[in-house]
Amino acid sequence: MKGRPLLPFAVTAIVGILLMISLSIVGLNQRAEMNADPAEEEAPTEFEDPVTAGQELAQQSCIGCHGGDLGGGAGPALTGLDGVYSVEEIADIILNGKGSMPAITNLNDVEADAIAQYLLAEAQ
Ligand code: HEC
């Protein structure tokens, strides 16, 4: 009788420890995946459709100063820039600022380029 009841406990303990180890390995893998994704979203390296992406980004980053329809506000209208600035020049204004416009520092050059393409393609 003595000692016998210990065996099931030992088996349970070993199974429990193995389960703990395997679950923490699974958990570490999942954490690595979770950490990888947001970083990619924050800094896109390419847009499939730059004009549409640029429109969304302009709504988030530019209308506060340039007006809801980009028709002008604290800053000048951003419509009718075609022929005035190139995509490169607009991206440069976004990233580095111009005169009293501050640099928009939460955008990377791919995003700035997409906004510039949108402004020249559609916001006329
Ligand atoms: C904090 C306010 C502010 C924000 C936000 C802002 N701008 Fe401006 N922007 C200005 C002001 C003010 C000017 C006029 C600068 C000057 O010439 O002195 C300007 C000028 C410009 C010009 C030059 C226009 C021209 O006719 O010469 C472009 C292009 C431009 N902004 C694009 C953008 C884009 C694209 C965004 C969003 C990514 C943006 N701006 C966000 C304030 C802002």
Side-chain angles (χ1 to χ4, degrees), residues 44-58 62 87-88 90-91 94-95 107-122:
T45 50
E46 194 178 12
F47 287 117
E48 262 179 48
D49 181 357
V51 172
T52 305
Q55 178 171 21
E56 263 172 45
L57 290 166
C62 317
V87 168
E88 289 75 23
I90 295 176
I94 296 169
L95 295 173
L107 297 173
N108 69 18
D109 51 356
V110 177
E111 293 168 320
D113 187 78
I115 295 173
Q117 288 190 47
Y118 158 69
L119 291 177
L120 293 185
E122 289 193 4

Side-chain angles (χ1 to χ4, degrees), residues 12-84:
T12 309
I14 291 170
V15 170
I17 290 169
L18 289 178
L19 201 66
M20 233 166 62
I21 293 172
S22 49
L23 282 181
S24 53
I25 291 173
V26 171
L28 282 176
N29 284 342
Q30 285 177 346
R31 193 169 65 183
E33 277 172 30
M34 277 160 61
N35 286 345
D37 285 342
E40 276 173 27
E41 271 177 36
E42 271 171 32
T45 50
E46 194 178 12
F47 287 117
E48 262 179 48
D49 181 357
V51 172
T52 305
Q55 178 171 21
E56 263 172 45
L57 290 166
Q59 295 295 325
Q60 290 162 18
S61 307
C62 317
I63 63 175
C65 295
H66 289 280
D69 56 359
L70 299 177
L78 296 182
T79 52
L81 293 181
D82 197 15
V84 182

